[in-house]
Amino acid sequence: MVGNTEVIVIGGGYAGVMAANRLTQRDDVTVTLINPRPAFVERVRLHQLVGGSHDAVVDYRKVLAGGVRLVVDAVTRIDAAERSVTSAAGGTFGYDYLIYAVGSGSAEPRVPGAAEFACPVAGLEEARRLRTALDATPATAAVTVVGAGPSGIETAAELAEEGRAVTLVCGGPLGPYLHPRGRRSVSGRLARLGVTVLDGPGTKVTAVTRDAVRLDGGRTVPSAVTVWTAGFGVPDLAARSGLSTDADGRLLTDETLTSVDDTRIVAAGDSAAPSDLPFRMGCQSAVQLGPQAAETVLSRIAGRRPAPVSVGFAGQCISLGRRAGVFQFAHKDDTAIGLHLGGRPGGKLKEVVCRSIVWQLAYEARKPGVRTWWAKDDKRAQRLRAKRSQAPAAPERAA
């Protein structure tokens, strides 16, 4: 491609910032990052915002390359045919390539009363509203956290450490990802914090009211504040724009993270579904997918064939208040193993991980493209072959 190349990155989370920074290694690429907020949100710290120990935001000047143009706005539509996007403020931005990194948020709850009476925590504004609700509630009032994943566990632990009377409603096993050994470590720490854990059969929420949570086992749990952490969803921007998505609304791509509809659109992070076999939503995959999406764009600009995606996992980090945590180690294909690090060392490791993520973003801003190593999941190709042997033919891609 001759001349300057315009690249728009939609979404300024972990994947979007990494992608935007990586793109700046070429002087003939103009990068515009469009994000609804003027500051970077540390989603891995939102439970700390709820607990009052961190504000969970970082100035973009600390993590975004100086050559990236930041536009504080929300994209409302992508016009692939015209290669442009429309924003909520009425602006129109043209592009040569688009990186779709809109991230994820709270899934729309399907349980009666949850949308009206429960407080989600997956976004900055949601976490702030929850903090305000807690501040307006007596410290002795019952708090119920619904959801047994990392967000639910971390939020319950933070609030219990703050002195709140917390019940964690799991709807199944506590920490489904965890190996039984790691689960016992988490359970023990929650017990020491005074958290009442309701797990196993009969703990699925059937209704939420203003002052209670009802379970399918017949139990009613009093709740002055109900926190909803049961599930994540992605924005419907791709679907509204006529692009192909998976059943959960993530942009369908091939193994180079390129949209199955348009070679000028590349996806990264929680909103990407490569080969309809997406990775676990979270920071760990996002910081790997962001640079790889940028590399796909840079390869096309240079006339090279993009490399297939390569993402590997180390495990799952869960903080259990400010003084403890657990690091559940895993195979690179994201399956937990029997090894974990708990207690105070686990908490310190979680804090190191949180700080290192911001460091990674800032390092990529200063030296784009220097760090190119990613862990590789050797079993992905095997899973893809099994999936493709049962799947119908992929849709044709537009020129």
Side-chain angles (χ1 to χ4, degrees):
M1 182 174 291
V2 179
N4 191 72
T5 302
E6 298 279 347
V7 183
I8 289 178
V9 180
I10 307 177
Y14 297 105
V17 169
M18 287 294 279
N21 288 343
R22 176 61 61 96
L23 288 165
T24 62
Q25 63 185 298
R26 283 189 64 127
D27 294 334
D28 59 350
V29 173
T30 300
V31 186
T32 300
L33 177 68
I34 305 177
N35 189 65
R37 303 177 190 87
F40 177 79
V41 178
E42 286 192 84
R43 284 197 47 188
V44 294
R45 293 194 186 273
L46 287 178
H47 61 283
Q48 289 184 251
L49 191 161
V50 173
S53 64
H54 203 284
D55 62 7
V57 295
V58 175
D59 193 316
Y60 268 121
R61 288 176 294 183
K62 295 182 178 180
V63 297
L64 196 61
V68 177
R69 174 193 178 199
L70 175 65
V71 174
V72 181
D73 204 345
V75 173
T76 56
R77 182 169 175 79
I78 301 166
D79 189 332
E82 294 295 326
R83 294 183 192 164
S84 68
V85 301
T86 304
S87 74
T92 300
F93 303 84
Y95 65 83
D96 295 303
Y97 288 95
L98 174 73
I99 293 183
Y100 185 82
V102 297
S104 63
S106 300
E108 188 69 27
R110 299 179 181 179
V111 173
E116 294 83 0
F117 302 115
C119 302
V121 71
L124 178 65
E125 293 77 16
E126 293 171 338
R128 286 173 172 171
R129 285 194 292 269
L130 173 56
R131 181 69 243 177
T132 299
L134 288 164
D135 288 341
T137 305
T140 55
V143 176
T144 301
V145 179
V146 179
S151 294
I153 293 170
E154 291 183 327
T155 303
E158 291 286 333
L159 295 178
E161 196 171 70
E162 197 183 36
R164 296 278 180 174
V166 181
T167 298
L168 177 62
V169 177
C170 299
L174 172 68
Y177 178 92
L178 299 171
H179 186 276
R181 294 175 184 172
R183 187 173 296 116
R184 284 194 293 271
S185 178
V186 171
S187 179
R189 175 61 182 171
L190 291 176
R192 288 190 289 276
L193 287 171
V195 177
T196 299
V197 176
L198 304 180
D199 60 346
T203 62
K204 290 185 178 181
V205 177
T206 57
V208 179
T209 66
R210 190 177 301 278
D211 56 7
V213 173
R214 295 173 186 158
L215 310 182
D216 64 349
R219 182 171 180 172
T220 297
V221 181
S223 183
V225 177
T226 300
V227 184
W228 196 266
T229 71
F232 289 90
V234 300
D236 65 349
L237 175 60
R240 283 190 288 108
S241 301
L243 298 169
S244 298
T245 63
D246 70 359
D248 294 318
R250 290 170 287 208
L251 184 68
L252 279 175
T253 76
D254 62 17
E255 282 295 281
T256 70
L257 300 175
T258 304
S259 165
V260 298
D261 301 310
D262 193 323
T263 57
R264 299 295 183 125
I265 299 176
V266 180
D270 292 354
S271 53
S275 303
D276 202 12
L277 191 66
F279 300 96
R280 169 164 56 95
M281 291 183 179
C283 173
Q284 193 171 172
S285 55
V287 295
Q288 297 178 72
L289 290 168
Q292 293 184 67
E295 290 293 341
T296 290
V297 171
L298 293 171
S299 293
R300 289 220 161 85
I301 293 172
R304 301 190 305 266
R305 176 178 292 183
V309 67
S310 175
V311 172
F313 291 85
Q316 190 175 81
C317 260
I318 301 176
S319 65
L320 298 166
R322 295 298 85 216
R323 293 183 291 276
V326 64
F327 188 95
Q328 171 64 68
F329 291 90
H331 295 295
K332 291 179 182 177
D333 67 351
D334 205 23
T335 55
I337 61 176
L339 181 64
H340 75 278
L341 183 67
R344 192 173 294 271
K348 288 183 177 180
L349 179 56
K350 173 62 187 285
E351 180 59 25
V352 168
V353 169
C354 290
R355 292 183 181 184
S356 73
I357 295 166
V358 174
W359 180 87
Q360 286 181 64
L361 299 175
Y363 189 87
E364 188 71 39
R366 296 192 307 271
K367 298 183 177 181
V370 172
R371 291 171 60 88
T372 57
W373 179 87
W374 297 291
K376 185 174 179 60
D377 170 18
D378 295 328
K379 296 182 179 179
R380 181 170 177 83
Q382 180 181 342
R383 293 197 300 274
L384 278 173
R385 285 193 297 269
K387 181 178 180 62
R388 286 167 178 166
S389 67
Q390 303 172 1
E396 293 184 2
R397 176 182 288 145

